[in-house]
Amino acid sequence: MVTDHAPRPTTRRPALPASLTPALLARLTGRISAAADAERVTTSAPYTGVPLADLPVSTPADVRDAYTRARAAQTSWAALPSGERKRILLRFHDLVLLRQDEALDLMQAENGKTRRDAFLEVTDIAITARYYARNAARYLSPRRRRGAIPVLTHTTELRHPKGVVTVISPWNYPLSMAAGDALPALMAGNAVVQKPDTQTALTALWALDLMHEAGLPDGVWQMVVGRGSSIGDTLMDNADYMMFTGSTASGRKIARDAGRRLIGASLELGGKNPMLVLADADVEKAAAGAVAACFPSAGQLCVSVERLYVAESVHDAFVAAFTARTARLKLGAAYDYGIDVGSLTTPAQLKTVSAHVEDAVAKGATVLAGGRARPDLGPLFYEPTILADVTPDMTLYDQETFGPVVSVHPVHDVEEAIARANATPYGLNASVWSRDGARARSLAARVRAGTVNVNEAFAAAWGSIDAPMGGMGDSGLGRRHGADGILKYTEPQTVAHQRLQGFTPPARMAPETWAALLTRALKILKAAGVR
Ligand code: NAD
């Protein structure tokens, strides 16, 4: 094991930020839909393990009440002119930027990520709020469609809100995953009942609180807290649409249950994302890109990279540059911008990461950087880790670690790189590095992934909010962002008004004559180039 590349400890364990006052925590937890005498659950701060929040837990009855309130509020919310919903979302946008320090403190305290990683979530939510505020009307307004018979059929496509959308979100991107999927659902005129992960519920509640400050009416967005095993069925049974982000295993259950209920579901699931470094890549840039791709939020990012396929001709130079950059990363806990890599979020995550690395090392993997937990920095820290000689018998070869661990594989040529990139059931995100952008873009189309970034890790595709984002294969169903990210929350309806002549022969015309007339009309339409 190479230990001289271990990241340097940089900070002592910080106390909780002063902005997390008892008054703020009480205001946020007061927004949870739960009875006054509810059972409580205590979360702890990953940086230190100290207790963080004492949250009421929602029972199935509390969840049913939340849907009743949401359903009652949805009708008048949907009836508002869309300009009013737009104003609320744009006010929310401004408040998020204005009060970002509070959100950054909360995200760091609940998740253990660095301030830089938390700030990305602030920008993401500002972009999402602005985009759907400014574009929803374009997607949702009634739209004329070509009628069955030109001129005679007046056809309009309408978009109705689904009703009450259920949003279930994980802990790894507590603001992006919670608010990012709720905002377009709200903008489309739905009410939302949301279950954020308990560990990061405060951040989700902060977004809800700010939406109220921005003018959201009571009842339209409800938040419940609890385990999937306790309130998951109630969330499913009352949903008109299910927006789920989490693991592939949980997503399969959600999909089965949505099928039973015959409701739509959007599933954003796990990945084992590849990065391809081609022979003509700028090695230094690719090495810097690999750091950005592998270690954000300590690798607890669905679109982060866990497999690197590097052309043999640049492999050694790339590995040297990547390893050196990784060794320079500052690992630690601090509520400022001085740290590169933060903590893992939960003991379960630390256990998985440690087990994956131990399994690989026991079976012959070589540790090029990192490779161990850092309890001296905090209970859940793990070093950014690069492994070589990773083989198919090792768990992390093709299973998601969801931590700061990447395996590097030399490849003979581009064909091998693409074949190996595609050799998992997942298909979430990928990254291709080359000096020839046009060639890289055409190779990107052959990688089986919902998003592929050229000369960038993940932010180019994720930040392209006008384009769809989501996974192929075991990485999910449906898309967020762009038109898909809001239209999925609507029920399309076609209203077709037939004027003058319909589809039956006019009075006194023989059916044969009518058939001949229609046949000629169809030929003319095709010849005229009508689509
Ligand atoms: P998880 O599936 O265990 O839990 C995610 C959330 O779903 C939690 O809030 C959990 O309480 C809830 N949940 C789980 N089963 C449920 C059920 N039957 N009913 C109701 N709620 C239920 O996932 P996790 O391990 O907490 O999150 C990490 C996973 O999420 C990783 O696999 C990661 O790749 C994935 N993820 C995917 C994306 C994406 O956009 N594709 C984004 C973030 C995370």
Side-chain angles (χ1 to χ4, degrees):
M1 182 179 292
V2 179
T3 51
D4 54 345
H5 286 301
R8 291 168 288 130
T10 53
T11 53
R12 285 177 302 132
R13 297 182 196 182
L16 286 176
S19 72
L20 307 189
T21 59
L24 175 70
L25 298 188
R27 190 169 85 237
L28 297 183
T29 53
R31 289 209 173 274
I32 298 170
S33 298
D37 60 348
E39 183 196 325
R40 316 285 295 191
V41 60
T42 303
T43 58
S44 53
Y47 278 168
T48 55
V50 300
L52 174 57
D54 178 43
L55 307 165
V57 178
S58 312
T59 62
D62 296 329
V63 176
R64 278 191 292 276
D65 288 347
Y67 281 96
T68 304
R69 285 193 297 275
R71 241 170 249 296
Q74 189 265 332
T75 317
S76 45
W77 173 243
L80 281 182
S82 73
E84 185 50 33
R85 292 198 291 273
K86 173 180 174 178
R87 263 191 295 283
I88 292 170
L89 228 63
L90 289 176
R91 241 179 271 145
F92 172 75
H93 167 279
D94 295 347
L95 287 171
V96 167
L97 294 182
L98 188 70
R99 300 252 289 278
Q100 58 178 279
D101 280 340
E102 214 169 69
L104 298 175
D105 286 346
L106 273 171
M107 280 186 268
Q108 289 198 270
E110 289 195 306
N111 174 280
K113 62 176 61 191
T114 65
R115 206 152 188 90
R116 295 180 214 174
D117 289 331
F119 179 71
L120 275 186
E121 297 201 53
V122 167
T123 58
D124 178 46
I125 285 309
I127 291 169
T128 304
R130 187 193 66 218
Y131 178 78
Y132 284 112
R134 297 245 162 95
N135 288 286
R138 179 162 69 88
Y139 293 130
L140 303 175
S141 299
R143 182 175 291 214
R144 276 294 296 276
R145 293 292 187 188
R146 182 178 302 115
I149 301 177
V151 185
L152 300 186
T153 319
H154 178 282
T155 301
T156 315
E157 178 188 325
L158 305 177
R159 291 279 170 175
H160 298 290
K162 289 273 184 187
V164 182
V165 171
T166 301
V167 177
I168 297 178
S169 45
W171 43 266
N172 65 324
Y173 273 66
L175 185 60
S176 283
M177 295 293 112
D181 290 318
L183 296 180
L186 293 168
M187 203 53 213
N190 297 284
V192 168
V193 173
Q194 177 153 24
K195 189 193 93 58
D197 194 277
T198 305
Q199 173 63 32
T200 52
L202 290 176
T203 305
L205 290 159
W206 181 84
L208 173 65
D209 197 54
L210 232 60
M211 274 292 274
H212 277 277
E213 199 173 325
L216 187 77
D218 280 346
V220 174
W221 187 4
Q222 308 266 333
M223 208 70 85
V224 297
V225 164
R227 303 171 79 89
S229 54
S230 139
I231 56 173
D233 288 349
T234 315
L235 286 161
M236 175 56 79
D237 289 345
N238 289 277
D240 296 319
Y241 186 85
M242 174 60 78
M243 173 68 231
F244 176 83
T245 305
S247 63
T248 298
S250 304
R252 282 189 204 286
K253 174 175 165 31
I254 296 284
R256 275 195 302 273
D257 292 348
R260 172 179 56 76
R261 287 230 33 237
L262 223 52
I263 60 165
S266 193
L267 308 170
E268 298 287 348
L269 310 177
K272 187 77 185 175
N273 306 305
M275 172 166 154
L276 284 58
V277 182
L278 307 188
D280 68 347
D282 179 323
V283 165
E284 276 303 327
K285 282 189 183 157
V291 169
C294 301
F295 307 129
S297 282
Q300 300 171 125
L301 168 61
C302 57
V303 288
S304 63
V305 163
E306 295 195 359
R307 299 179 291 148
L308 275 164
Y309 298 107
V310 186
E312 276 165 359
S313 57
V314 292
H315 176 268
D316 292 355
F318 169 83
V319 167
F322 179 36
T323 308
R325 283 174 182 274
T326 301
R328 290 200 294 272
L329 293 173
K330 285 187 196 165
L331 178 67
Y335 290 94
D336 60 35
Y337 282 95
I339 299 293
D340 298 313
V341 181
S343 172
L344 294 170
T345 304
T346 63
Q349 214 47 47
L350 177 62
K351 198 170 157 197
T352 303
V353 171
S354 305
H356 278 202
V357 174
E358 279 162 25
D359 166 77
V361 170
K363 290 172 179 163
T366 306
V367 178
L368 301 178
R372 60 195 172 116
R374 289 295 295 270
D376 52 319
L377 299 176
L380 303 177
F381 280 87
Y382 200 94
E383 291 176 349
T385 298
I386 308 172
L387 300 175
D389 307 312
V390 168
T391 49
D393 57 326
M394 302 172 188
T395 307
L396 59 69
Y397 180 81
D398 55 5
Q399 287 186 33
E400 185 183 43
T401 303
F402 216 51
V405 182
V406 63
S407 55
V408 194
H409 309 264
V411 287
H412 185 59
D413 56 20
V414 163
E415 293 307 316
E416 185 188 349
I418 291 179
R420 293 185 70 178
N422 289 344
T424 80
Y426 291 117
L428 188 55
N429 182 49
S431 172
V432 180
W433 291 76
S434 163
R435 283 195 172 88
D436 183 345
R439 176 164 170 261
R441 287 200 300 276
S442 88
L443 290 173
R446 295 173 56 201
V447 179
R448 183 173 174 267
T451 49
V452 185
N453 297 265
V454 172
N455 293 345
E456 222 286 326
F458 59 85
W462 182 280
S464 299
I465 182 119
D466 198 33
M469 156 81 221
M472 299 181 182
D474 283 5
S475 291
L477 276 180
R479 296 290 183 269
R480 52 165 68 101
H481 295 176
D484 303 50
I486 188 162
L487 291 179
K488 67 187 178 186
Y489 295 130
T490 66
E491 207 64 80
Q493 182 185 46
T494 300
V495 176
H497 173 193
Q498 192 63 32
R499 297 177 290 201
L500 301 172
Q501 178 58 46
F503 293 84
T504 49
R508 290 192 297 281
M509 184 183 280
E512 294 81 355
T513 314
W514 178 240
L517 206 65
L518 283 186
T519 302
R520 191 171 320 147
L522 288 169
K523 287 180 178 171
I524 291 168
L525 288 174
K526 185 192 171 227
V530 173
R531 281 183 289 157

